[in-house]
Amino acid sequence: MVTRITGTTSGPATGPVVIKLGGRALEGPGRLADFAADLVAHDRPFVLVHGGGAEVTDWCRKLNIPSQFHEGLRVTDEASLEVATAVLTGIVSSRLVAGLVAGGVPAVGLSGVDGGLLEAEPHPDADRLGRVGRVASVDTAWLGEILAAGRVPVLAPVAADAAGILYNINADDAAAAVAQALGASLLVFLSDVPSVVVDGRTVGTIGVAEATDILDHKDVTGGMRPKLSAALNALGNGVGTAVIGAWSARGDLESLLATPAAGSAVNPTSPVEADLFAGVYPFPRLELVHGRGCHVTARDGRDYLDFVSGIAVNALGHADPGLRNAVSRQMAQLVHVSNLYGNGPAAALAARLVNLTGYDKVFLCNSGAEGNEAALKFARLHAGAKGHQDGIIVAFDGAFHGRTAFALSATATPAYREPFGRLVPGIRFAPFNDAAAFDALVAEEAAAGRPLQAVLIEPVQGEAGARTADPAFLAHLRAATRSANALLLFDEVQCGVGRSGSFLAAQELGIDADITILAKGLGGGIPIGAVLIRNDLAGLLSAGQHGTTFGGNPVAAAASGHVLDVITGPGFLTAVNERAVQLGAGLERLVAAHTSLKRVNGLGLLRAIELKEDAPFDPAALVLAARNAGLLLCKGGSRSVRVLPPLVVAAADIDLALERLDAALTHLESEHLSNPTLALAGKGERS
Ligand code: PLP
């Protein structure tokens, strides 16, 4: 029996597995080959971290260097550090890697020093322990690349600090730190001792509380104390499950990686979230720990197809290697400078945006709301210059422009606005896609001495359920703003950056605005926003009038540069359009097949299905049912569910998503037929 400590969850874990190998855990004829065969049989990403303490002691003895220990850690001076480094990175690592490679495992031997994979810091008890270190940080981007290339990193626990000083790191601690940094689903400590034994009793599956109690109050033997402590550390920092055991023969890995018996606590959400976070989000939430492309893994190990994409943000899906590279390269060079200084990635990004869109100038910021806030301020400056300071800005029913004061003032939904009392004055709402109503509102305001200053509109209203503006309506707004000497502002925070099928939705719909606001997909998951303006407006701005500390941050700009490289690359938007046609047609088929659906809205890969008024379930129930079927979707407005795959979505994933959505709809409809009172089962869920 092995000792298994479950964190907040248990379940069929499929994320990365970190295995700490005791230096001698696999000694003996043929054992390494059998272990390699076991690894090959499990198609999962593995990271191995090895120890080698006994061999370090042997070599110290041969070299007449005394070995001393304090609380299980080797007291390390310059001489024993040299031995430990040579033995771990040379002898043990080479032996393991050679054996694994011979057994068909694509193992790569690395120490923490290589490429700065692990950065060390001195152990807090350095006075006693000497050159023993702890892991200060892990280069997860690089480790992720090695895993993405299908390789199995084999890490020797030797690392340097920022100044290049070498440290010997306890392998249990190193494995825990790596598992924690990777968000591993499973951390396995393999040694020649099969489990933790307390008071003569073998400890099987336990929770964190019991493991803590054992560590604090019991006599733990067999070198298990450091493993328990490292395991608890990892579990407290997001790792799913820790296992302490031995591997003795081929096939043993199966039970080491196995999920806990049915009936043990399965909780896919973190129980402490509601205690920690301001209550502005619905708790508990599904906790996601790992993602690749269009797929994500939750803490309970369950995989989902992610058609939310961080609400239209992850244009390149999860863990895009190019994005990781762009960010980590820039992180290694220059992280932040503020707008007191210039930086290359921001300038390059501004130049790209100008070239791509035909605008003249760019203001870089951090989010959609911040972009709209700036755009609305710029519009008021413009109105002031035209003598229209007492005028109005028109926004539209269903609009969502963000949660900051000005952006919120232009956001229509009463539930978002009303709790906050008085907002920015001078904003009126007109019905969406209704030119006559818009004209009537503008005329009424003008007659009262309040001329039109600007019109702010989403070419596709995302939050409202992918409602697309009629091109004729946009053309009408274009003409009306021109004749009133007012500005037309396009909020393309959600529909921009390729999501509509063109770089800008305005290009897709054939209308030019005076200001366009981008965010979400622009950074592929790294926060960044951009306000695109024309020279006549830019000429009104002067230094100090507006600004931001983080806007144009080099790392965010480098990330965005990579996103633009991909999106503007040959064939990319053609593929987006092909996938959009496939998705649109598939959703239309679902509308034809399911009586609860009214229609498909949106364009490109910004789509929504709208429920009929008399549908026997609401959008929240559908979001929940889709999730149970393995598909993540999010609500849009009061009657719709949005479908927002990453722009890199594969045709097969769209087919799979449609299948799962079909299953979810069938389930809800049949549930209603068999029990009409369950009709609004998901009503409480917000998304
Ligand atoms: N504008 C639109 C069209 C949006 O969809 C959103 C967010 O959903 C925002 C603005 C606000 O963006 P952020 O949440 O980045 O502030």
Side-chain angles (χ1 to χ4, degrees):
M1 193 209 300
V2 299
T3 299
R4 175 173 283 106
I5 313 167
T6 52
T8 52
T9 183
S10 59
T14 54
V17 176
V18 175
I19 302 181
K20 186 261 168 167
L21 292 172
R24 294 200 152 140
L26 301 175
E27 258 183 16
R31 279 167 55 79
L32 198 45
D34 281 347
F35 183 70
D38 248 8
L39 284 180
V40 170
H42 288 85
D43 184 25
R44 296 178 66 166
F46 288 106
V47 178
L48 307 184
V49 180
H50 66 80
E55 263 166 288
V56 174
T57 303
D58 286 353
W59 276 94
C60 281
R61 195 177 306 117
K62 286 182 209 168
L63 297 166
N64 281 330
I65 297 169
S67 286
Q68 279 181 47
F69 294 89
H70 174 67
E71 294 191 346
L73 298 176
R74 177 181 299 277
V75 177
T76 307
D77 60 7
E78 197 65 41
S80 50
L81 180 68
E82 281 185 1
V83 177
T85 306
V87 171
L88 294 172
T89 66
I91 299 171
V92 180
S93 174
S94 306
R95 188 180 60 227
L96 280 173
V97 173
L100 292 169
V101 169
V105 176
V108 186
L110 293 163
S111 84
V113 177
D114 295 317
L117 194 58
L118 306 180
E119 187 177 315
E121 62 186 10
H123 193 281
D125 204 2
D127 285 351
R128 263 200 155 121
L129 293 168
R131 298 282 288 282
V132 173
R134 286 202 315 201
V135 176
S137 65
V138 179
D139 187 343
T140 49
W142 193 36
L143 212 43
E145 268 169 52
I146 299 170
L147 289 172
R151 306 246 162 219
V152 175
V154 179
L155 306 183
V158 174
D161 69 8
I165 298 175
L166 274 182
Y167 291 89
N168 174 21
I169 296 178
N170 173 270
D172 294 329
D173 291 345
V178 168
Q180 176 184 324
L182 283 178
S185 51
L186 194 58
L187 168 62
V188 181
F189 296 93
L190 277 192
S191 71
D192 42 8
V193 183
S195 61
V196 175
V197 176
V198 172
D199 299 334
R201 182 177 64 88
T202 299
V203 178
T205 298
I206 54 174
V208 166
E210 199 180 337
T212 309
D213 183 56
I214 290 174
L215 194 65
D216 289 348
H217 304 295
K218 306 281 185 199
D219 192 15
V220 189
T221 53
M224 291 296 172
R225 187 166 279 284
K227 291 183 192 7
L228 262 183
S229 160
L232 282 170
N233 218 349
L235 293 171
N237 286 288
V239 172
T241 303
V243 170
I244 302 176
W247 179 92
S248 36
R250 195 163 173 164
D252 279 1
L253 206 53
E254 189 73 46
S255 59
L256 286 158
L257 304 185
T259 55
S264 54
V266 175
N267 177 6
T269 63
S270 166
V272 292
E273 264 202 318
D275 297 338
L276 287 172
F277 293 116
V280 295
Y281 303 113
F283 302 115
R285 301 178 290 191
L286 179 72
E287 186 179 339
L288 302 178
V289 291
H290 187 256
R292 278 265 180 285
C294 295
H295 298 260
V296 287
T297 306
R299 174 169 279 296
D300 65 355
R302 183 146 188 227
D303 285 331
Y304 297 91
L305 204 46
D306 180 5
F307 273 38
V308 174
S309 306
I311 317 189
V313 167
N314 305 321
L316 310 184
H318 295 276
D320 174 70
L323 186 63
R324 279 201 314 255
N325 277 342
V327 168
S328 53
R329 258 199 312 270
Q330 189 55 42
M331 287 285 287
Q333 192 174 332
L334 189 70
V335 174
H336 177 71
V337 294
S338 86
N339 282 295
L340 297 177
Y341 307 96
N343 76 78
L349 175 62
R352 298 280 296 277
L353 288 170
V354 161
N355 275 337
L356 277 167
T357 62
Y359 280 90
D360 299 308
K361 296 255 161 75
V362 178
F363 172 75
L364 292 175
C365 56
N366 309 288
S367 68
E370 200 190 328
N372 282 322
E373 199 77 13
L376 289 163
K377 283 176 74 178
F378 296 168
R380 281 264 157 100
L381 271 180
H382 178 266
K386 303 283 173 200
H388 291 166
Q389 48 273 34
D390 295 326
I392 53 146
I393 291 170
V394 176
F396 294 90
D397 293 345
F400 184 84
H401 298 296
R403 310 285 194 152
T404 55
F406 215 151
L408 180 62
S409 307
T411 291
T413 313
Y416 298 155
R417 306 161 50 85
E418 281 169 2
F420 302 100
R422 271 173 298 170
L423 295 171
V424 178
I427 299 179
R428 297 289 312 271
F429 292 97
F432 193 65
N433 272 342
D434 184 339
F438 169 82
D439 286 346
L441 174 73
V442 171
E444 175 197 316
E445 290 289 329
R450 293 186 290 269
L452 184 64
Q453 294 180 327
V455 172
L456 173 63
I457 187 166
E458 296 157 81
V460 186
Q461 287 191 330
E463 248 264 330
R467 288 206 296 175
T468 309
D470 192 340
F473 180 61
L474 291 180
H476 184 82
L477 298 179
R478 179 66 284 181
T481 43
R482 277 217 176 102
S483 76
N485 232 333
L487 296 180
L488 180 60
L489 279 48
F490 278 176
D491 175 349
E492 294 222 18
V493 166
Q494 188 158 160
C495 61
V497 198
R499 189 151 285 278
S500 69
S502 294
F503 185 73
L504 297 180
Q507 293 162 337
E508 189 72 22
L509 298 167
I511 311 289
D512 260 3
D514 300 303
I515 301 183
T516 287
I517 305 99
L518 302 175
K520 288 195 184 271
L522 188 60
I526 303 296
I528 187 166
V531 183
L532 312 174
I533 56 179
R534 305 209 180 274
N535 266 337
D536 49 349
L537 173 63
L540 299 174
L541 301 173
S542 59
Q545 261 175 345
H546 190 64
T548 155
T549 299
F550 291 111
N553 169 279
V555 175
S560 185
H562 171 71
V563 172
L564 296 190
D565 282 347
V566 176
I567 288 183
T568 60
F572 187 88
L573 287 176
T574 308
V576 168
N577 282 302
E578 284 166 7
R579 295 290 78 78
V581 168
Q582 181 195 356
L583 178 62
L587 292 174
E588 294 291 358
R589 278 197 303 277
L590 292 182
V591 169
H594 291 276
T595 51
S596 47
L597 298 184
K598 184 171 178 181
R599 66 176 151 229
V600 182
N601 291 323
L603 80 171
L605 292 176
L606 169 42
R607 298 293 179 129
I609 45 174
E610 192 176 327
L611 305 188
K612 284 189 183 147
E613 285 69 22
D614 61 354
F617 52 86
D618 63 10
L622 179 54
V623 167
L624 201 59
R627 184 174 120 185
N628 290 335
L631 173 67
L632 300 185
L633 300 173
C634 66
K635 273 175 48 178
S638 58
R639 297 306 303 157
S640 301
V641 170
R642 272 177 288 176
V643 184
L644 305 166
L647 302 188
V648 292
V649 65
D653 282 334
I654 290 190
D655 286 340
L656 186 60
L658 290 166
E659 236 171 67
R660 292 179 178 178
L661 182 53
D662 191 16
L665 287 160
T666 304
H667 168 77
L668 286 173
E669 287 168 354
S670 62
E671 193 175 52
H672 171 65
L673 284 180
S674 59
N675 187 353
T677 58
L678 286 176
L680 297 178
K683 208 172 168 52
E685 155 136 335
R686 288 181 285 144
S687 61

